[in-house]
Amino acid sequence: MSMPKPIRPLRGALDAVVAMPGSKSITNRALILAALSAGDCTLTGALFSDDSEHLRESLQSLGFGVQADPQEASVRIAGAAGRVPNPAAELFVGLSGTAARFLPALCSLG
């Protein structure tokens, strides 16, 4: 059995940087907003998860330009000014509830 180690109080100011992972919820909402924009948008600090991957792939199927860079945690979307380039695409969202709720509304814009 190991002995507990004492916790010593800091003797000065703490200087640190903490990188927080992206948020699935915010990433998916930002992807939809970027697709609705009139022009290119670059999202930084994006979370790369199954849900956001399904949404990115769905946006590509709908005709939006999507360039993802997992190493930089960034996604570039070519917005189509409130229209959907290919509204007849077949989409698969897996278990992504956010994508399942947001994509039908996006597709209704045609």
Side-chain angles (χ1 to χ4, degrees):
M1 179 178 231
S2 64
M3 296 298 293
K5 298 193 187 252
I7 299 174
R8 295 187 177 87
L10 292 173
R11 296 183 193 262
L14 179 63
D15 182 16
V17 175
V18 178
M20 300 298 294
S23 162
K24 173 178 65 173
S25 179
I26 292 172
T27 296
N28 285 346
R29 284 166 170 78
L31 288 168
I32 295 290
L33 291 173
L36 290 169
S37 73
D40 291 348
C41 290
T42 300
L43 309 178
T44 59
L47 179 69
F48 282 76
S49 66
D50 286 344
D51 287 12
S52 60
E53 181 178 349
H54 287 307
L55 188 51
R56 285 191 316 274
E57 289 173 355
S58 293
L59 290 174
Q60 285 179 311
S61 295
L62 291 168
F64 296 97
V66 179
Q67 296 173 329
D69 185 347
Q71 297 299 89
E72 294 293 322
S74 68
V75 181
R76 185 179 175 112
I77 305 282
R83 63 177 191 79
V84 179
N86 180 24
E90 186 172 319
L91 309 177
F92 176 73
V93 297
L95 299 175
S96 175
T98 306
R101 288 191 309 274
F102 291 172
L103 285 170
L106 177 70
C107 291
S108 73
L109 299 174

